[in-house]
Amino acid sequence: MPRPRTLSDEQLLDMVLVLVHAEGPDAASFGAVSKISGLSGSTLVQRFGTKAAMLRACLLRAWDRLDMETARLIQSVPTSSGGAIDLLVGLSKDYGDDAASYAEGLLLLREDLRDPALRARGAAWGRTLAEALDQCLHAQGKKPLGRLMLSQWQGCLLWWCFEPQGSIEAYVRGELKQFLETSGQSGTT
């Protein structure tokens, strides 16, 4: 009879994700995860098989969490241009407080782009966000306004890193408001 698990896969993957966020994807070795989890290396090998499979499972867990947060935010914002801004500002909070934190997150993006399953999750997330933004902006028939706003958001996150003046949330809000005003949408309703 197998021993009961002291840590669920979700708990373990959340620990791995903390490690990956702090030290980068290459730090997620069986030895390092063994230290933070208290599980033996052989237990980790039994659960995941390889370091690459463990990292993939960790990043799929991160996508699951992001999808849940995105769905929560979509449900919580009004269908207005202000709601579109609030949605993206809400998602910006996990990008860190400084350029170095954002840069560490780019290492995770590198892993997402290398793996077809992770890349597919990112593409699906982008479609979900673009559709939600189109609804907020009442842009049916004016597509791809939601996708353009999504691209603007990702670009302004990058530019904030070069000139991090003020909080990321305030910067994103200001940039997206200006984008909507320039595109003929009101940025405040």
Side-chain angles (χ1 to χ4, degrees):
M1 183 169 133
R3 290 179 29 196
R5 290 188 170 182
T6 57
L7 287 174
S8 69
D9 285 344
E10 292 80 13
Q11 290 170 313
L12 179 56
L13 292 172
D14 288 344
M15 293 173 133
V16 176
L17 188 58
V18 168
L19 174 67
V20 166
H21 274 294
E23 299 181 32
D26 293 337
S29 66
F30 285 137
V33 173
S34 178
K35 279 184 184 177
I36 63 170
S37 69
L39 299 176
S40 71
S42 62
T43 298
L44 296 171
V45 170
Q46 286 175 346
R47 281 203 195 184
F48 300 107
T50 65
K51 174 185 169 181
M54 181 175 63
L55 181 59
R56 182 185 213 200
C58 167
L59 295 176
L60 286 169
R61 171 79 173 146
W63 277 112
D64 290 343
R65 289 171 54 182
L66 181 58
D67 286 342
M68 288 187 303
E69 177 64 5
T70 300
R72 185 192 71 74
L73 285 168
I74 289 170
Q75 293 299 314
S76 73
V77 299
T79 54
S80 65
S81 56
I85 291 172
D86 289 344
L87 170 60
L88 296 177
V89 168
L91 289 171
S92 300
K93 293 177 182 177
D94 288 336
Y95 281 86
D97 296 329
D98 56 31
S101 298
Y102 182 79
E104 291 300 320
L106 292 176
L107 293 174
L108 298 180
L109 179 61
R110 178 190 70 182
E111 298 303 317
D112 288 335
L113 296 174
R114 288 178 172 176
D115 183 298
L118 297 170
R119 195 170 51 246
R121 289 292 297 269
W125 180 67
R127 287 189 298 274
T128 297
L129 275 175
E131 288 172 18
L133 293 169
D134 280 336
Q135 287 183 358
C136 284
L137 299 170
H138 308 285
Q140 289 72 19
K142 294 189 244 177
K143 292 183 181 185
L145 189 57
R147 184 65 176 208
L148 290 172
M149 186 174 185
L150 183 56
S151 297
Q152 180 68 24
W153 170 57
Q154 286 295 294
C156 76
L157 290 170
L158 181 63
W159 289 118
W160 176 81
C161 289
F162 285 110
E163 298 179 289
Q165 298 172 8
S167 72
I168 196 166
E169 292 93 353
Y171 185 83
V172 166
R173 186 173 299 284
E175 290 289 304
L176 294 179
K177 184 177 178 196
Q178 184 178 8
F179 168 76
L180 289 177
E181 289 169 354
T182 303
S183 67
Q185 298 282 323
S186 170
T188 58
T189 60

